[in-house]
Amino acid sequence: MSEQAVRACPSGFLGQDRTPTKQAVRACPSGFLGQDRTPTFALVCVDILHGDVDKLFHYIIPSGLAVSAGVRVRVPFGKGSGIKLGYVMAVSDEPPDDVTKLKEVHSVCDDFPVLTEETIRLAHWMHKKYYTILAACVRSIIPTFKADGSFPSTRAKKAKTPAPSNTEITLTNEQQAAISQIENLLRDGANPLLLHGVTGSGKTEVYLHTIEKVLASGKQAIVLVPEIALTPQIVGLFSERFGEAVAVTHSRLTPGERFRIWKMALNSEVKLVIGPRSAVFAPFPQLGLIVIDEEHENTYHSETAPKYDTREVAIKRAELSGAVVILGSATPALDSYLKAKDGRYALARLTERINKTLPEIHIIDMRREMARGNTSVFSAPFQEALSETLTAGKQAILFLNRRGYSSFVSCRWCGHVMTCENCRVNHTYHNTAGGKLLCHYCGKGVPLPTKCPACSSEHIRRSGTGTQKIEDEIAQLFPDTKILRMDMDTTRGKHGHAKILGAFRNEEAQILIGTQMVAKGLDFPKVTMVGVVAADMSLYTGDFRAGEYSFQLLTQVAGRAGRAGDAGRVFIQTYNPDHYAIALAESGDYEKFYEYEMSLRRAMNYPPYEHVFSVMLTGPDERAVINALQKLSATMVYCARLAKNSFEIIGLSPAFVSMIRRVYRWKLLVKCKEEAPLVAFVLYCIKKLKENDTLKDLTIHLTLNPRIME
Ligand code: ADP
Ligand code: ZN
Ligand code: ZN
């Protein structure tokens, strides 16, 4: 309580001992804190990312200062009472228990609330759900601001909009049925809906029709896509249909541009926001619908704290605002399909392609090719089909999930493998700029050595195949054919992806080679062939979800072929033709895959049957990281014996990449049938260790049911 405020109290009631109690404040007869100046206190989340201050602090709202829930304020904080930025999460007349140390709000940053009532509740929910500091949750919800607290400005650009058009399309019966099912949900408000539609079945048209209904009812909608750069068609279709009502956000916009779109959503100046996962926070005042396209994609999982699952956040937002969520996919995530089957989600199906024909899939056993003396990365049928495709004037997409030229470089004499000095990963050889070795984790590049750093031998070998090498080899096989390559190396810059995709659409090239960037969502009518150069790469990653990812990836990439008039052909090259994920991708039977994969998960006690909690510790001193994790593991083993529930502790082990940028990474896993006791157990054990400073100077990364094993 400021001296000034106490002195100003006309009753003198607060002035007597200058340490007003809670009762005294309430009883103050002068109305000093009274009726005409409600509310009296601001509950502030200070913008400091530290666990020790991860709570709300009461501040007095001085007279004349308009402080409401959702605005950002500056407040004196800490020992020196330095001024810090904070978020007003609530205002109240109820004083805290201890009113002796109350300070006043210093000033207000915003003339409008940056958090709405709904997003304040969402922030609290994320705080709890993802074990993340509240301020970090708030930061992920609102746009980034500058160090001085101001939001970045941007010169208003004239929105380029081709006028809304209404292309007449006759919906299929299945599309009709899905749309009326969603309309019922919009009317009655209820479950999320899983739209399970095979590739090319016209899911986008279902979204478009539904959104039309939502906008007509005066509400707003969000469409989430895995990566905006890879979905230019979706964006094009929506802009065409809804004109100026649409705003598109993506990671390559400037902070100013992103703030502008966010503000327009807040004021409902736009009605539809399309974007990647962060667009789930678009602050629409009357949100009616959230569509999550390709809901199984890992890009919907935030990799930094708060490590949120966009699908969960969307469903929570929908619950808070009365909106409906549609999850769309040809290959739903296992847990989503389980929920649809047991009734937690509604389910609509599109079982047929618009053109009625799914592509023909050929699995090619590369061991036989080798036995026949073909040592090339391309099998005979693959080369033949590609040649036929080109002769017929059609286009082909070739997929290999590894960029660069050679995936590793080693010494033939002593076997030494060239690795990054900052990370425990091997270098990849890139043939750009005269040839160099590149680390795909920290980005550091070094020249290709002429001598082995270990034994000085000059016999350096480059092995393994990346997209650059595929491009080279295809160019040798088909010297007169124009080729485009799309991977992280060719798509830098704001319009990197769009340029390549545009050129391919305009048939400036007949072959598109790429990493997983070419596997998703693309709809090119002239593509009749898809080639998967090496399907084995995703099978043995040590992740229990490897089978699920492989099946999804193969089905999705296969789905790029034969989407228009002509039938499509897909060639999947593998050394493991009998692996279930590959064999089932051949039939494209999702249902069969689901049953099989679920039986494995049940047998192994993995999600979605049991919950897995990953605890990773990272720090610059590996010994300290391991010691701390050993202590944590011992604590867990001890506590687990006393616990009612059964916990299985697996670990410790180095993370998938155990050093990145000279930071060491070790982890352990805890499994349990039920979520709530598992979370409580892990948090309890960590708290115990924090109390005796074991975890000091280390960073703790907590992920429940991690999508990607770190
Ligand atoms: P998905 O997202 O299910 O893979 P899309 O929504 O991209 O499929 O649709 C595949 C193709 O079919 C697109 O080119 C789309 O324009 C077209 N299409 C969708 N619905 C219809 C329809 N009812 N009649 C004719 N063409 C359609
Ligand atoms: Zn050597
Ligand atoms: Zn590195």
Side-chain angles (χ1 to χ4, degrees):
M1 179 111 2
S2 75
E3 283 276 321
Q4 214 182 354
V6 173
R7 242 182 271 128
C9 176
S11 70
F13 188 85
L14 289 175
Q16 287 152 16
D17 58 1
R18 307 217 159 174
T19 49
T21 61
K22 190 169 170 174
Q23 286 84 347
V25 173
R26 250 194 239 129
C28 175
S30 71
F32 153 65
L33 297 170
Q35 303 91 351
D36 54 331
R37 296 185 47 231
T38 50
T40 318
F41 303 102
L43 277 77
V44 177
C45 161
V46 181
D47 186 50
I48 298 172
L49 301 183
H50 198 288
D52 292 350
V53 293
D54 187 22
K55 55 188 167 197
L56 297 186
F57 294 90
H58 274 74
Y59 283 88
I60 296 173
I61 301 173
S63 67
L65 211 57
V67 176
S68 58
V71 298
R72 294 175 309 153
V73 287
R74 284 175 217 292
V75 291
F77 189 80
K79 281 213 179 79
S81 282
I83 299 295
K84 294 270 183 247
L85 192 112
Y87 311 99
V88 178
M89 303 303 278
V91 289
S92 162
D93 283 329
E94 191 65 18
D97 291 331
D98 179 6
V99 291
T100 56
K101 291 187 188 128
L102 279 183
K103 294 171 191 160
E104 287 185 354
V105 172
H106 173 276
S107 53
V108 180
C109 305
D110 304 303
D111 53 7
F112 65 96
V114 297
L115 290 162
T116 61
E117 191 188 324
E118 183 208 325
T119 51
I120 286 174
R121 290 174 69 182
L122 190 70
H124 284 296
W125 175 82
M126 288 174 74
H127 173 55
K128 224 172 151 212
K129 176 93 187 163
Y130 302 113
Y131 339 101
T132 307
I133 291 163
L134 183 61
C137 298
V138 173
R139 276 199 201 176
S140 69
I141 290 174
I142 65 171
T144 29
F145 48 84
K146 295 192 240 172
D148 68 0
S150 66
F151 285 112
S153 62
T154 176
R155 269 175 288 138
K157 273 192 214 137
K158 243 186 152 178
K160 49 169 193 273
T161 37
S165 76
N166 243 336
T167 342
E168 271 315 314
I169 238 179
T170 315
L171 294 171
T172 64
N173 288 343
E174 287 188 327
Q175 283 173 324
Q176 269 312 346
I179 291 166
S180 33
Q181 211 177 329
I182 297 165
E183 278 173 11
N184 288 343
L185 292 178
L186 286 169
R187 201 186 46 237
D188 308 333
N191 285 340
L193 176 133
L194 178 68
L195 179 62
H196 180 207
V198 298
T199 57
S201 59
K203 292 185 284 292
T204 316
E205 204 57 44
V206 174
Y207 305 151
L208 285 163
H209 273 255
T210 314
I211 289 165
E212 214 166 284
K213 294 266 157 39
V214 170
L215 301 196
S217 74
K219 294 191 170 182
Q220 303 93 30
I222 298 171
V223 174
L224 301 173
V225 291
E227 205 196 314
I228 205 92
L230 302 178
T231 39
Q233 284 129 323
I234 286 214
V235 173
L237 281 173
F238 281 86
S239 308
E240 235 170 66
R241 204 67 68 93
F242 302 113
E244 285 184 359
V246 182
V248 182
T249 86
H250 54 86
S251 59
R252 292 185 189 186
L253 290 181
T254 64
E257 288 166 329
R258 264 188 268 176
F259 173 65
R260 206 174 121 257
I261 290 172
W262 180 85
K263 193 78 190 290
M264 287 196 296
L266 188 71
N267 298 334
S268 329
E269 287 158 18
V270 291
K271 316 284 182 205
L272 172 64
V273 166
I274 307 176
R277 62 169 180 258
S278 60
V280 75
F281 300 113
F284 283 126
Q286 280 172 295
L287 186 62
L289 180 76
I290 305 177
V291 171
I292 307 184
D293 191 33
E294 310 292 0
E295 66 91 29
H296 62 279
E297 285 287 346
N298 278 334
T299 49
Y300 287 124
H301 294 258
S302 156
E303 286 141 35
T304 50
K307 288 191 173 181
Y308 63 87
D309 175 347
T310 310
R311 300 170 307 165
E312 289 172 345
V313 173
I315 290 167
K316 186 67 194 175
R317 269 206 83 177
E319 185 192 310
L320 293 170
S321 62
V324 166
V325 174
I326 304 177
L327 304 153
S329 177
T331 51
L334 226 57
D335 57 331
S336 297
Y337 203 63
L338 173 68
K339 286 177 185 153
K341 286 202 126 186
D342 70 18
R344 279 177 282 173
Y345 293 171
L347 177 63
R349 290 183 202 270
L350 305 176
T351 59
E352 278 198 336
R353 266 198 172 187
I354 295 292
N355 73 357
K356 305 282 186 223
T357 41
L358 278 164
E360 219 175 80
I361 299 182
H362 305 269
I363 305 289
I364 303 190
D365 187 343
M366 292 304 275
R367 295 169 306 185
R368 283 209 207 140
E369 287 291 312
M370 187 68 98
R372 279 197 204 113
N374 178 8
T375 52
S376 146
V377 284
F378 305 114
S379 63
F382 188 105
Q383 290 186 36
E384 217 169 278
L386 188 53
S387 164
E388 283 167 15
T389 306
L390 300 175
T391 311
K394 302 292 178 190
Q395 290 179 306
I397 291 180
L398 307 185
F399 164 69
L400 177 74
N401 211 3
R402 190 188 278 143
R403 68 189 174 104
Y405 197 91
S406 309
S407 47
F408 69 100
V409 177
S410 59
C411 168
R412 275 172 184 247
W413 195 252
C414 74
H416 175 84
V417 175
M418 313 302 155
T419 51
C420 175
E421 60 174 6
N422 296 323
C423 314
R424 279 195 194 133
V425 285
N426 56 279
H427 269 134
T428 304
Y429 173 72
H430 286 241
N431 68 356
T432 26
K436 64 177 173 190
L437 297 179
L438 200 68
C439 171
H440 286 183
Y441 279 81
C442 71
K444 190 172 174 191
V446 296
L448 180 70
T450 49
K451 281 186 183 160
C452 170
C455 74
S456 299
S457 141
E458 290 177 4
H459 298 284
I460 305 291
R461 169 170 50 187
R462 291 173 282 165
S463 327
T465 304
T467 45
Q468 287 181 341
K469 192 168 175 188
I470 295 296
E471 186 182 11
D472 256 19
E473 302 211 346
I474 290 288
Q476 279 168 30
L477 285 172
F478 304 98
D480 301 324
T481 304
K482 289 278 275 182
I483 304 167
L484 285 165
R485 195 182 91 228
M486 189 157 102
D487 54 34
M488 226 153 78
D489 301 312
T490 62
T491 51
R492 303 198 192 277
K494 203 164 182 172
H495 305 293
H497 300 86
K499 270 191 204 140
I500 294 174
L501 294 174
F504 194 55
R505 180 170 299 282
N506 295 337
E507 296 179 53
E508 288 163 36
Q510 265 188 292
I511 302 176
L512 175 66
I513 297 169
T515 53
Q516 35 82 29
M517 288 180 183
V518 301
K520 306 160 184 187
L522 304 180
D523 186 33
F524 294 110
K526 283 242 166 159
V527 172
T528 56
M529 175 185 168
V530 161
V532 178
V533 178
D536 309 320
M537 229 169 261
S538 56
L539 292 179
Y540 299 107
T541 55
D543 185 339
F544 70 87
R545 293 185 212 259
E548 183 182 354
Y549 292 154
S550 299
F551 177 83
Q552 285 166 341
L553 193 58
L554 292 175
T555 309
Q556 291 291 343
V557 69
R560 303 311 110 209
R563 292 168 69 87
D566 304 292
R569 283 194 292 174
V570 180
F571 293 82
I572 299 178
Q573 303 193 135
T574 176
Y575 287 90
N576 300 277
D578 301 324
H579 189 288
Y580 71 96
I582 290 185
L584 288 167
E586 182 177 15
S587 67
D589 189 334
Y590 178 83
E591 201 73 33
K592 248 194 202 150
F593 168 78
Y594 171 82
E595 293 300 339
Y596 187 78
E597 183 71 34
M598 287 296 271
S599 70
L600 291 183
R601 300 286 177 90
R602 193 181 297 127
M604 304 289 288
N605 296 333
Y606 270 122
Y609 286 102
E610 291 212 355
H611 295 275
V612 175
F613 209 126
S614 150
V615 182
M616 183 163 73
L617 295 186
T618 63
D621 176 356
E622 189 165 34
R623 213 44 265 162
V625 171
I626 295 172
N627 277 343
L629 201 61
Q630 263 164 352
K631 281 186 191 154
L632 179 63
S633 170
T635 306
M636 284 179 167
V637 169
Y638 176 78
C639 293
R641 269 197 228 116
L642 308 173
K644 204 162 69 225
N645 293 76
S646 137
F647 300 104
E648 187 188 344
I649 294 130
I650 313 167
L652 23 241
S653 63
F656 184 59
V657 177
S658 60
M659 175 179 78
I660 297 178
R661 293 191 171 88
R662 297 205 171 263
V663 172
Y664 295 90
R665 304 147 53 88
W666 284 69
K667 65 167 188 196
L668 59 77
L669 300 177
V670 190
K671 282 205 263 180
C672 178
K673 273 211 167 55
E674 282 164 74
E675 180 180 331
L678 175 61
V679 171
F681 174 79
V682 172
L683 295 183
Y684 172 82
C685 294
I686 286 174
K687 190 164 156 255
K688 280 268 142 229
L689 255 68
K690 272 188 175 165
E691 278 166 7
N692 61 21
D693 272 0
T694 306
L695 301 178
K696 228 176 91 199
D697 305 327
L698 299 177
T699 311
I700 312 166
H701 309 257
L702 301 175
T703 322
L704 180 64
N705 298 328
R707 293 288 296 181
I708 299 171
M709 281 297 168
E710 288 174 306

